[in-house]
Amino acid sequence: MFSKDKRAVLILLFLAGVINYLDRSALSIAAPYIKDDLTLTATQMGIIFSSFSVGYAIFNFLGGVASDKFGAKMTLLVAMIVWSLFSGAIALAVGFVSLIIIRILFGMGEGPLSATINKMVNNWFPADQRATAVGLTNSGTPLGGAIAGPIVGFIAISYGWRVSFVIIMLIGLIWAFFWWKFAKEKPTAKAKEKEIKEVKEIAATTVRKVPLTFYLKRRTILFTAFAFFAYNYVLFFFLTWFPSYLIDARGLSVEDMSIITVIPWIVGFIGLAAGGFVSDLFFKKFAGKGVLFARKAVLVPCLFVSAVCIGFAGLVTTTVGAVSLVALSVFFLYLTGAIYWAVVQDVVDQSNVGSVGGFMHFLANTAGIIGPTLTGYLIDTTGTYTAAFLLAGGLAVFASIAVIFFVKPIMKKATVA
């Protein structure tokens, strides 16, 4: 399906995603130890979880702009080095304030990842392969989350939680070396099929450059970002608080929690890898129904089912039921994971793909600022996790409905030189 050069790009980007979520998930796995060691409350832990997204959301957009201006290869290289160093710096934290500062800087480093992946995919793959490529590359992220539990849990139990952050820092720096050595910004010779497709697309849509501001005001971009916000709200709830939920509400040990958290991540890996393929299959099958019909046909029902599952997970009374529903929610959630980026690929010209994707990702990741802190507050005030589960589900239901009415093809009549 993909040439040798394309497979190499896919593998390196896939591994970047694995490392990204290994690093990002490490704090939630080690949270019970960190909370006790540094004497933190649930609300304080929620603020620490959210602090990551302050830097992350801002650099989603700035990283996308940088990938358009300086190239995706260089942007991702710098990002990996920065986030790896500040992942390791968590081992130096001495309290609440220092953890917040380090997590903000860590988030700034991770911010450019998704926009640079999207830009690299746009550089290397034709339109009818892009959702598949985005899905495969991003499927590394849940796999990173899956291995974080056993790896960080084992190291934290055996050698202390600080050592785990130093080890995952070294993994990121090793990847950066291989990326610098072997990755290319674009293929040396564009694939003929891609050239033909993109020349036709450009000729059909605009003869002059479309300004970035044109896209930032379009409902399609804004409501795709809103759906992505709901996606991230559910994801950050799972990413940051689910391990603590298993210990606090279900009474599991750190050892058992580390293993059980693997289950939703593995099914999420399957969902994300399959989601792009399904979306591109629909793209080819329903080409006559418009460019966004296929994307919405996957996004709307899958996000809705994910919402229902996460909501009911907060109401069941057994650990098996809760874990099963969360796993199903993550699976259907990740089926939509490539589609937000595919929408940008479908409606935005190549010179703005990185910037618009970064802007959408910035808006979406404000969920990571709001969600974990709000969850910590709800836990402290209600004494349970039920309200947090229901809020996450309700938000995603609303977003899935909004996509039906507001995500439509963009008419580029207002182009300027």
Side-chain angles (χ1 to χ4, degrees), residues 103 287 396:
R103 288 291 287 182

Side-chain angles (χ1 to χ4, degrees), residues 3 16 18 30 48 62-63 78 112 122 149 162 215 225 233 248 282 339 381:
S3 67
V18 172
I48 291 166
L62 295 180
V78 173
N122 189 265
R162 296 180 190 272
Y215 291 113
Y233 193 98
D248 297 339
F282 275 47
I339 299 175
T381 54

Side-chain angles (χ1 to χ4, degrees), residues 84-171:
S84 296
L85 290 174
F86 282 105
S87 178
I90 293 173
L92 304 176
V94 294
F96 178 62
V97 175
S98 61
L99 262 177
I100 288 178
I101 293 171
I102 293 169
R103 288 291 287 182
I104 290 173
L105 295 171
F106 171 63
M108 290 168 62
E110 287 207 342
L113 176 70
S114 293
T116 52
I117 286 179
N118 207 42
K119 182 69 174 181
M120 286 293 286
V121 167
N122 189 265
N123 288 344
W124 279 83
F125 296 88
D128 60 356
Q129 292 182 345
R130 287 173 183 163
T132 299
V134 170
L136 289 174
T137 53
N138 284 333
S139 67
T141 58
L143 188 60
I147 64 176
I151 290 176
V152 177
F154 172 77
I155 296 172
I157 292 168
S158 303
Y159 305 103
W161 63 268
R162 296 180 190 272
V163 175
S164 61
F165 290 97
V166 175
I167 291 175
I168 59 179
M169 173 189 71
L170 296 176
I171 294 172

Side-chain angles (χ1 to χ4, degrees), residues 74-84 108-113 116:
M74 183 57 64
T75 302
L76 184 52
L77 174 66
V78 173
M80 176 66 78
I81 293 171
V82 170
W83 98 52
S84 296
M108 290 168 62
E110 287 207 342
L113 176 70
T116 52

Side-chain angles (χ1 to χ4, degrees), residues 17-35:
V18 172
I19 296 168
N20 178 271
Y21 263 54
L22 170 61
D23 292 2
R24 197 186 305 188
S25 302
L27 186 71
S28 62
I29 299 298
Y33 291 107
I34 296 173
K35 184 179 175 183

Side-chain angles (χ1 to χ4, degrees), residues 50 53 228-230 232-233 236 362-372:
S50 291
S53 291
F228 206 177
F229 175 94
N232 274 328
Y233 193 98
F236 272 97
F362 158 71
L363 294 180
N365 276 290
T366 56
I369 301 172
I370 299 167

Side-chain angles (χ1 to χ4, degrees), residues 367-406:
I369 301 172
I370 299 167
T373 296
L374 182 56
T375 299
Y377 173 77
L378 290 172
I379 293 167
D380 274 345
T381 54
T382 67
T384 72
Y385 286 75
T386 302
F389 276 100
L390 292 174
L391 178 59
L395 184 63
V397 166
F398 185 52
S400 66
I401 295 171
V403 169
I404 298 174
F405 297 102
F406 297 110

